[in-house]
Amino acid sequence: MNNIGLALGGGAVLGAAHIGVLKAIEEKGLEIKFITGTSIGAFVAALYAFGKDWSEIKEITSELKWADITSISLSRYSLLTNDKFGALLVKHIGDKNIEDSVIPIAIIATDASSGEKVILQKGPIAKAVMASTCIPGIFKPVVIEDRMLVDGGIVENVPINTLRKIGAEYVIGVDLNANHNYQKPDNILDVLMNSFHFIMQQSAKLQTEDADLLIKPDLSSFDRTDTKQIGDLIKKGYEDTIKTLENKDITIQTNWWSRVLSSIRRSLGT
């Protein structure tokens, strides 16, 4: 297959499963020519686009804690800032621009003033990832070119459509929220995170119909804020991706037909 693209969706700590997905894809010998990412998917996509393989990304993330990527914000817009997240990216790939990537990459963010989708394809990669991972009400919005940007999950949590726009012919999407059970919140962070991800989960159902191959790891037993689960999430992402790839002929046929039906429905306005 030529021009394979990979769209990595958001899901907070569940994003560690993306590393397992990358491991499986590498083992199967699939060469990713384009990549897009939203929220935590943007972080993993950025590392991969700048030459880090799955094992290097695992090493970078395996010991991460919330304190490593957040700090208290004095902004009137948020409780915290994710400046440390950007600094972590710079530490491992350098102070690079998006257009310098080894694999062409696009990062999704949302304009906090208009609600428009913003596709970031140039400028500092670290700042773009900070914008895409900026959960509203939790992290301070990121300003790029006079636009106040927040988490891209609001507009395109699994950036499949964007992936096709930048050149991918065969699209693999990774939806971390498709198989996830929500637990009773224990604190304000859980309330905010659950509420935000309810929105993403509903919109992603329509967005993912256009994938040629959709990977949906069963992450129902995992908490989306507990960083102690990172190792287990990587393992689960790998195992479920291997199963999906082994049945890819069936999945490709099913998703191809779903795309046809989806196109017909859109043309009929239904």
Side-chain angles (χ1 to χ4, degrees), residues 131-144:
S132 188
T133 57
C134 182
I135 301 171
I138 296 180
F139 294 130
K140 182 176 69 175
V142 175
V143 178
I144 297 178

Side-chain angles (χ1 to χ4, degrees), residues 52-168:
K52 300 294 183 182
D53 64 18
W54 77 267
S55 61
E56 292 174 299
I57 300 174
K58 177 183 177 181
E59 186 175 344
I60 291 168
T61 60
S62 61
E63 300 298 327
L64 280 183
K65 299 179 177 61
W66 278 101
D68 298 324
I69 59 174
T70 65
S71 56
I72 298 298
S73 171
L74 299 178
S75 169
R76 60 179 175 172
Y77 296 111
S78 65
L79 304 172
L80 304 169
T81 175
N82 64 353
D83 290 347
K84 288 184 179 180
F85 214 18
L88 180 67
L89 204 55
V90 171
K91 175 183 176 181
H92 290 286
I93 65 174
D95 192 8
K96 302 289 182 65
N97 284 337
I98 299 172
E99 53 267 41
D100 299 326
S101 62
V102 178
I103 301 172
I105 181 174
I107 302 296
I108 309 302
T110 304
D111 188 316
S113 299
S114 66
E116 294 177 331
K117 178 170 74 173
V118 179
I119 302 173
L120 299 169
Q121 292 183 270
K122 62 180 182 178
I125 184 69
K127 199 165 186 180
V129 170
M130 285 170 57
S132 188
T133 57
C134 182
I135 301 171
I138 296 180
F139 294 130
K140 182 176 69 175
V142 175
V143 178
I144 297 178
E145 296 182 353
D146 295 324
R147 303 183 82 173
M148 183 182 289
L149 304 181
V150 293
D151 199 300
I154 297 170
V155 288
E156 193 179 23
N157 192 47
V158 186
I160 288 167
N161 181 262
T162 298
L163 192 57
R164 292 195 187 280
K165 285 183 178 179
I166 67 172

Side-chain angles (χ1 to χ4, degrees), residues 2-18:
N2 296 321
N3 290 334
I4 300 174
L6 181 64
L8 301 181
V13 173
L14 300 182
H18 285 318

